[in-house]
Amino acid sequence: ILKKTDLTELHKETTKEFAYNDDLKISFKSLANPKFQRAYGIINQKSATDTPLNAKTIANINDDELTVDEALLFAVGEHLVHDWNVEDENGEKLPINGENFTLLSASVDDPMAFFHWCLECSGQIAKQIAEQAQHTKKKPSKGGSGKLDTAI
């Protein structure tokens, strides 16, 4: 019996909780989550073809434009965070989105270390999924004797 493993669905649905500095708990999705991968590709493409630096470019910067780092943080919040224990000043759980994740990142001691930790956690999930898929491929099927019968 050949069982097809849909890795795309596993990367969309698999989550795992991690703790950052013991008080912050975040459940992440896989780093290979298709939506995050598309966002990451767009961000990288934009940074590679970025507008040249000149006076007009600097003068026309508006508040809606994100830096590459801000865009990456936003993408993590939108596509990799599944759940968290982050609350607002009234004790209400904050909605999980890119804007709130960017605010959370700004509130930790070392935002860059926090960002890398988030990617590492999501990467662990992607690695675990890949290892499970490899294990499934290597595991023999129990659906037959393993002999090929070509007699008609």
Side-chain angles (χ1 to χ4, degrees), residues 72-81 84 96-99 101-102:
L72 286 170
L73 287 171
F74 197 88
V76 168
E78 288 291 323
H79 303 297
L80 294 182
V81 176
W84 62 15
I96 298 166
N97 59 44
E99 185 176 345
F101 184 79
T102 302

Side-chain angles (χ1 to χ4, degrees), residues 16 19 25 33 35 52 55 62-63 66 74-75 77 91 93 106 115 122-123 135 145 148-149:
K16 184 176 179 184
K25 293 186 179 17
N33 177 292
K35 287 184 179 181
N62 67 55
D63 291 339
L66 299 175
F74 197 88
K93 184 177 178 178
F115 172 72
S122 289
H135 179 71
S145 66
L148 182 60
D149 186 3

Side-chain angles (χ1 to χ4, degrees), residues 39-50:
Y40 186 76
I42 291 167
I43 293 165
N44 278 336
Q45 183 179 24
K46 170 68 176 141
S47 68
T49 61
D50 215 357

